[in-house]
Amino acid sequence: MSATILIVEDETRLGDILEQYLRREGFHTERAMTGPRALELWRAARPALILLDLMLPELDGLEVARRVRAESQPAMAQTPIIMLTARDEEVDRLVGLGIGADDYVVKPYSPREVVARVRAVLRRAQGAAPVNAVLHAGALTIDTAAFEARCGDEVLDVTVAELRLLASLAQASGAVRSRSELLSALGGLDRGTDERTVDAHVKNLRRKLGACGEGLETVRGVGYRLRP
């Protein structure tokens, strides 16, 4: 069966173009033009991924993303979200608010680029777990098979992308991972994603990890490392 993509876009023309390109690539699509309708379709259809515009009537994309994350069970892989924004500056604001999106696309965008990003996010969400299914870094435990991360006994609310990034850092055993290496771990090298995607996920992880994030360090000009 083809994967279902929920397109949440209040501009009819843009929604039509995205739907056309996604269907041409074999995806099934659902459409919503408002926040409340998006939540209804997400609950009913349980899509493989959500393309979510930030500016929506009635309920904006930020609140839709928050409710999707809040209603997802911690032990389950969460629905990946690609956020569509009108300005490059909005990406930093969204990261700061910690919505947990898996990727960000700034308008105007190429529909082909969006389709490529959809495929890449789905690949890393559905990919096989690494050989070392359970990894440790101090009090931090990363269970890639169960798609779960814990700080001590507390289950952390991380996305699939964030979990994969953590696993890549933990497997390095304190060594530095470059941004390009982390992009590769996220399945992003073949889709033209810039390194800000990695920075965005790290910012969110630092907020979510709490005390367990003290070992997540930036190595200026190189990348990141997770000290044991």
Side-chain angles (χ1 to χ4, degrees):
M1 290 181 64
S2 59
T4 297
I5 309 300
L6 174 56
I7 303 169
V8 187
E9 171 61 72
D10 65 331
E11 294 186 45
T12 302
R13 182 181 63 84
L14 291 178
D16 288 344
I17 292 172
L18 288 174
E19 185 168 51
Q20 176 185 354
Y21 273 79
L22 286 165
R23 288 190 172 184
R24 185 184 300 168
E25 293 297 316
F27 292 102
H28 175 73
T29 59
E30 297 284 351
R31 293 275 297 274
M33 298 181 69
T34 68
R37 180 59 178 159
L39 289 172
E40 288 178 9
L41 285 174
W42 172 71
R43 293 175 184 127
R46 291 295 174 177
L49 182 143
I50 304 173
L51 281 173
L52 182 58
D53 188 31
L54 178 63
M55 302 303 294
L56 295 170
E58 300 181 44
L59 198 69
D60 66 18
L62 181 62
E63 185 59 28
V64 171
R66 282 174 172 159
R67 295 191 188 186
V68 167
R69 292 293 182 243
E71 292 182 26
S72 299
Q73 298 180 30
M76 297 175 60
Q78 296 180 340
T79 306
I81 297 172
I82 297 179
M83 186 68 75
L84 309 175
T85 72
R87 297 187 305 276
D88 193 56
E89 294 81 7
E90 286 178 337
V91 174
D92 290 328
R93 183 173 73 87
L94 293 170
V95 169
L97 291 170
I99 63 167
D102 294 85
D103 205 349
Y104 306 87
V105 180
V106 180
K107 299 177 182 179
Y109 48 71
S110 161
R112 290 187 178 87
E113 178 192 4
V114 175
V115 173
R117 292 195 180 205
V118 166
R119 288 193 178 281
V121 171
L122 287 176
R123 278 199 301 272
R124 71 192 188 217
Q126 299 167 355
V131 174
N132 295 326
V134 180
L135 302 161
H136 300 277
L140 180 65
T141 301
I142 304 132
D143 188 337
T144 57
F147 286 96
E148 183 178 270
R150 291 177 176 267
C151 180
D153 294 328
E154 179 187 358
V155 178
L156 303 173
D157 181 22
V158 296
T159 67
V160 172
E162 291 163 356
L163 187 86
R164 290 190 177 280
L165 192 148
L166 271 179
S168 179
L169 290 168
Q171 285 177 320
S173 301
V176 178
R177 291 283 202 198
S178 69
R179 287 177 174 83
S180 62
E181 288 175 318
L182 292 171
L183 274 176
S184 180
L186 294 176
L189 282 178
D190 60 344
R191 62 189 176 97
T193 301
D194 64 36
E195 293 176 352
R196 288 186 60 189
T197 298
V198 171
D199 296 335
H201 289 313
V202 170
K203 286 181 181 179
N204 275 334
L205 278 171
R206 284 191 169 125
R207 178 184 58 82
K208 294 178 178 181
L209 291 175
C212 284
E214 293 177 359
L216 181 52
E217 298 178 346
T218 301
V219 180
R220 190 175 298 277
V222 182
Y224 299 95
R225 68 180 160 208
L226 184 63
R227 288 194 179 276

